[in-house]
Amino acid sequence: MELESQAFEVLERLGINRGQIVLDFGCGSGTYTIPAAKIVAEQGRVYALDKDKKALDELMQKAELAGLKNIERMDTSGELKIDLTDESVDVILLFDVFHSYYFPQANDRRRLLNEIYRIMKPSAFISVWPKHMESEAKNEIESADFYLETEYSGTLVHDNYDRERGKILNFRKK
Ligand SMILES: C[S@@+](CC[C@H](N)C(=O)[O-])C[C@H]1O[C@@H](n2cnc3c(N)ncnc32)[C@H](O)[C@@H]1O
């Protein structure tokens, strides 16, 4: 199976649907952004947020080639403030980014979770692939007023170039 189809299947299993508004936080060059945009289709939108401009350039080229017009690029400087309004997003992806390599300080991870909480609709969920800090991530997320709803274990696409077994956790607001 192609990497993109594999990522597409993972997102469908996680519960992303047509018409939803998705934020892919730390999207990189779009391993999951492109399939998410295909799933939510024209009625939906995917915000692609990253601090790596080159990765976002690559992503937007791929989006153009695929004829996708529902991806909105969000360049940042790595700040924890997300430029989206309160309760405006259905799904937030945190894939291989919520961990101590990018956020060494626990209080920065907590600030990020608070910001994510703010922009989530009451019915929204977050999907977290907590690569590098599996059990600590679950505890930290639960203590930031989320509850674990489902877990998905399977083959995941890593950074657009390989596959590996991993676990994704879906949380909702308490
Ligand atoms: C390991 S890559 C994962 C990319 C993608 N989520 C995937 O699964 O293929 C982590 C990405 O998070 C981005 N990132 C890390 N810290 C960030 C921050 N504070 N704000 C925005 N992007 C960040 C990095 O630039 C990088 O592109």
Side-chain angles (χ1 to χ4, degrees), residues 1-164:
M1 192 191 283
E2 278 184 28
L3 291 181
E4 189 188 312
S5 313
Q6 185 100 47
F8 188 99
E9 194 181 293
V10 170
L11 294 182
E12 279 196 320
R13 297 274 292 275
L14 291 171
I16 297 180
N17 291 309
R18 179 177 286 262
Q20 286 183 318
I21 309 293
V22 177
L23 167 65
D24 190 358
F25 186 98
C27 59
S29 60
T31 317
Y32 291 91
T33 321
I34 298 281
K38 291 184 177 173
I39 294 173
V40 301
E42 313 84 66
Q43 303 96 316
R45 174 176 302 197
V46 182
Y47 293 105
L49 184 154
D50 209 287
K51 62 180 183 179
D52 180 341
K53 296 196 186 324
K54 275 197 184 152
L56 286 175
D57 287 344
E58 204 184 307
L59 161 58
M60 295 314 287
Q61 277 169 13
K62 285 190 228 160
E64 197 175 334
L65 276 175
L68 293 166
K69 300 197 188 330
N70 60 349
I71 298 177
E72 192 162 318
R73 171 180 182 145
M74 293 179 79
D75 285 89
T76 75
S77 313
E79 67 271 17
L80 297 171
K81 179 94 190 72
I82 301 173
D83 190 16
L84 292 171
T85 52
D86 294 358
E87 299 191 355
S88 59
V89 179
D90 294 297
V91 183
I92 289 139
L93 306 180
L94 282 171
F95 283 9
D96 193 11
V97 62
F98 185 81
H99 52 68
S100 48
Y101 177 75
Y102 291 116
F103 300 99
Q105 307 295 330
N107 62 339
D108 282 342
R109 296 195 293 275
R110 178 57 186 254
R111 282 174 56 211
L112 176 60
L113 291 173
N114 292 346
E115 188 59 357
I116 283 170
Y117 193 98
R118 178 185 70 74
I119 63 168
M120 287 169 74
K121 292 180 185 176
S123 58
F125 67 89
I126 50 175
S127 278
V128 188
W129 180 7
K131 205 167 142 58
H132 310 299
M133 54 176 282
E134 306 249 331
S135 55
E136 302 100 299
K138 177 174 175 288
N139 294 339
E140 286 186 15
I141 296 167
E142 285 179 332
S143 65
D145 251 1
F146 294 91
Y147 70 91
L148 178 64
E149 186 184 50
T150 50
E151 293 187 5
Y152 167 84
S153 290
T155 304
L156 305 176
V157 183
H158 175 237
D159 244 355
N160 247 340
Y161 69 86
D162 62 4
R163 292 177 168 86
E164 63 182 60

